[in-house]
Amino acid sequence: MAPQRFHEQFDQIQRSMPDVPLAMGPDDSAEFLYEKGVVLARDGEEARLVEDTVRTHFTAAPDLSADHVRRASPETNRTGITRIQVGDPSAGDRGGDLAVAHALRALREPEGRAGRRLISRNHVVSIAVNACPGDEPVPAPFSQGTNPVPAEDAHDPETAVGVLVIDTGLTHDYRADPLLAHVTGDGQVRETDGDGVLQQYVGHGTFIAGLVAAVAPNTDITVRNTLNDAGAILESDFGHKLFESVDQHGWPDIISLSAGSSNGRVDGLLGVDAFMRELRARGTLLVAAAGNNSSATPFWPAAYAGLSDDWADCVLSVGALRSDGEFGACFSNHGAWVRAYAPGERLTSALTGFASPVPYVYQHSTYDACRFGFQYACTCQYPRHTGLLSETRESTGGKADQVMFEGYAHWSGTSFAAPVAAGLVAAHMSARKERDPRTACRQLLSANTEYAEVRGAHVPALRPPTWRPVPVRPAVPA
C-alpha cells in the first residue's frame, strides 16, 4: 500500500506541537490542518460579535454547548487577531472539529460588513505544504557542485540586495560552505535527536539560502528560524512572527517564504492579513512558494498574487518545474494565481556545512507510482527508500533507510523554486542597478521569453543561466 504522507506528517506535526490539539479539514481529504476548538476573529467589535453570535447559536442547538465559548487570548497581538474558544479541544478525533464547523456556520449569514469575513479556523502554516513535502533530501556528491552553479557576480556590500529568508534556521556549520559566506541569521534550534540523527526539515533554510546565494551572489541574506518545529506554526502565531522578523531586521528588498496553507477560501489567511497589508504599503517584494499539493486550490500567502493588481505588484507566487525545466513538477500547485515557475525538482544546495558527516533516517517511503498520476520518474517514486513513519513499517520490522549527509543534497519542492525566483529578481536588480524590487520583478517578467507547459497551459518559466537541466527518465517500474 502506498504510504499516506498526510497522515504520517499529521502525527509528526502533532508531536512537535503537543499542547495544541489539531484537526484536519475540511474532511479526510486533508486540505489543511487547524487548531481544534478555536476560531480567529479581528480584535474589538468584530471579536465580540463573533463570540456573542457563536454563543447564541450554540445555546439554541440541542447538540452543542455554549459553556466553552470564551476569549482564548488577549487583544494585544500586533496582528489584530483574537483566538476565541468555541469547544472542548479534547473532544472528537483528528478528522475534524464539529464545534469549529458550527461556529463558522453561525457566522456564515451574514458574512459581515460588505462581505468582510468575520471568522476563520486557526490553520497550521507549514513548510511541508499540506503537511506533505515534495520529497526528502538525497545526498549529493561535493564533486558535482551545486545546481544552479554559483553565478560569477561579485558581492559588493554597498549595493548588495537584502533578502530575508523566513524558514528553519541555519545549521551550525553552514559557514564551512564558501557560498554562504555572506549569510547571517538564526541557528537551527535542534539539529539532531538523542542518537545524533538529523531531524526532519533540518537544513531547509540553509538549502534555501544556498540557492539564493548561487543565483544572486550580490545579496545579503538573513535567515530567521520561524519554522523550526517540524516546519509548522499556527496561523495566529505566524502573523506575529512575520512582524517580529521585519522589526528585528528591517523591511528587506525581498522576502523569500516557502511556507503557507490553503484554507478553502479565496480571500487569504485572517492571521496574516495585517502583515500582508503592511507589506503592500512597503517597498518589499514577497516571493512565495505556491505549494506542493498538485492542486489549483489557492495556497496562502502565495495566492495573494492573484487577488488583484495591487497584490500582484508586491507578491510573486512561484510554482516548480521538473528537472528538465520543460513541464511542471508533479507536486507543484498551479492555476491563474501562480505567476511564474522556476526549477524546483532535484536542485542541489548545501544541507549542512562540511564539519562532519551526519546521518539521516528517511521518514516517508516512496511510492510504486507517482501519487499525482504523472508518468515520469518523479520524486514520488525515485530514488526508492523506506521511511520510518510510513505504513510499510509493519512489514519492514520498523526499519528505515539511513543515509549520511556531508554537505550537499538534492531536494525538491516549490520551497526551492521560490528562492530561485527570488535570486533572479535580486540578480536583475544588481545587473540593472534597479533599487526597487517590485519594479525589478515587473521588468524580469515582462522581458522573459521562456515558457514551460503546466497542465496544458504555457506559463512563464524563470530558468537561471547557471541552472543545468537534468533529463527526465521514464517512470520506474513498480
Side-chain angles (χ1 to χ4, degrees):
M1 180 183 295
Q4 301 298 312
R5 287 198 182 181
F6 178 81
H7 295 277
E8 296 164 15
Q9 282 301 114
F10 182 99
D11 294 337
Q12 185 89 332
I13 290 173
Q14 182 65 88
R15 281 194 292 272
S16 76
M17 307 169 72
D19 299 327
V20 183
L22 299 177
M24 60 180 72
D27 48 40
D28 201 46
S29 64
E31 185 179 327
F32 46 74
L33 302 180
Y34 62 98
E35 183 181 12
K36 290 179 69 175
V38 170
V39 295
L40 301 182
R42 293 180 182 85
D43 292 343
E45 178 187 350
E46 291 189 14
R48 288 188 288 274
L49 174 61
V50 168
E51 190 175 355
D52 293 343
T53 303
V54 171
R55 184 177 290 112
T56 300
H57 178 81
F58 280 22
T59 300
D63 57 338
L64 297 172
S65 171
D67 294 343
H68 297 287
V69 180
R70 62 179 182 273
R71 204 68 55 93
S73 63
E75 297 182 7
T76 57
N77 196 315
R78 183 173 171 187
T79 61
I81 296 299
T82 294
R83 293 171 61 251
I84 299 174
Q85 184 170 333
V86 295
D88 180 2
S90 66
D93 59 24
R94 69 184 192 178
D97 189 326
L98 290 177
V100 169
H102 279 282
L104 296 173
R105 191 170 297 120
L107 271 298
R108 185 175 297 164
E109 298 291 345
E111 181 76 348
R113 297 153 182 78
R116 179 181 174 92
R117 178 166 41 137
L118 300 176
I119 189 172
S120 168
R121 293 179 176 89
N122 193 13
H123 302 87
V124 174
V125 176
S126 172
I127 61 173
V129 183
N130 194 29
C132 291
D135 71 346
E136 293 177 87
V138 176
F142 175 75
S143 60
Q144 293 183 4
T146 63
N147 189 20
V149 174
E152 295 181 357
D153 298 348
H155 179 267
D156 177 8
E158 297 298 321
T159 63
V161 178
V163 180
L164 177 61
V165 174
I166 298 175
D167 208 87
T168 65
L170 295 160
T171 50
H172 74 282
D173 56 352
Y174 77 94
R175 284 192 181 277
D177 184 354
L179 184 62
L180 302 178
H182 303 292
V183 175
T184 60
D186 304 330
Q188 180 82 33
V189 173
R190 187 183 178 201
E191 295 184 14
T192 59
D193 62 17
D195 296 322
V197 177
L198 203 67
Q199 298 199 110
Q200 196 173 20
Y201 304 126
V202 168
H204 196 267
T206 305
F207 196 95
I208 286 171
L211 292 172
V212 176
V215 177
N218 192 28
T219 47
D220 286 332
I221 303 167
T222 302
V223 179
R224 285 302 309 272
N225 63 359
T226 303
L227 298 160
N228 269 312
D229 292 335
I233 188 172
L234 286 175
E235 175 185 340
S236 55
D237 296 328
F238 186 54
H240 180 66
K241 290 292 186 180
L242 290 172
F243 275 120
E244 274 189 351
S245 295
V246 294
D247 287 346
Q248 181 174 349
H249 301 286
W251 285 88
D253 296 308
I254 298 170
I255 294 175
S256 179
L257 178 63
S258 296
S261 177
S262 56
N263 64 350
R265 295 184 60 98
V266 293
D267 56 357
L269 295 175
L270 200 60
V272 301
D273 183 66
F275 177 83
M276 292 302 298
R277 292 185 181 280
E278 186 159 341
L279 172 83
R280 189 169 62 177
R282 304 276 181 165
T284 297
L285 174 71
L286 174 65
V287 183
N292 301 336
N293 304 341
S294 194
S295 169
T297 300
F299 180 80
W300 310 97
Y304 276 92
L307 281 180
S308 68
D309 291 342
D310 290 340
W311 287 111
D313 192 50
C314 57
V315 181
L316 175 60
S317 50
V318 186
L321 299 174
R322 69 184 194 182
S323 60
D324 64 357
E326 298 299 323
F327 296 87
C330 72
F331 51 79
S332 181
N333 281 352
H334 51 92
W337 55 272
V338 183
R339 297 183 63 201
Y341 292 76
E345 189 175 67
R346 297 193 177 101
L347 299 180
T348 310
S349 183
L351 184 78
T352 67
F354 300 85
S356 60
V358 59
Y360 177 75
V361 175
Y362 282 104
Q363 302 298 299
H364 304 286
S365 294
T366 46
Y367 289 72
D368 292 336
C370 175
R371 65 189 189 273
F372 302 119
F374 282 63
Q375 300 299 313
Y376 73 99
C378 62
T379 58
C380 296
Q381 57 177 329
Y382 176 79
R384 294 193 179 281
H385 46 252
T386 298
L388 190 64
L389 297 175
S390 296
E391 293 174 305
T392 54
R393 62 185 179 274
E394 296 179 0
S395 60
T396 61
K399 294 182 180 180
D401 293 330
Q402 178 175 302
V403 292
M404 298 294 292
F405 284 104
E406 300 182 75
Y408 290 154
H410 302 304
W411 212 346
S412 304
T414 59
S415 280
F416 311 122
V420 167
L424 285 171
V425 175
H428 184 93
M429 292 175 67
S430 295
R432 299 291 184 90
K433 295 182 172 54
E434 174 58 63
R435 300 310 305 169
D436 182 353
R438 298 180 184 179
T439 298
C441 183
R442 288 195 300 271
Q443 292 172 347
L444 181 68
L445 292 176
S446 63
N448 177 67
T449 59
E450 297 187 16
Y451 291 84
E453 184 177 324
V454 176
R455 309 281 177 156
H458 291 279
V459 298
L462 302 177
R463 305 182 185 97
T466 61
W467 171 71
R468 299 167 300 192
V470 178
V472 169
R473 299 169 46 181
V476 178

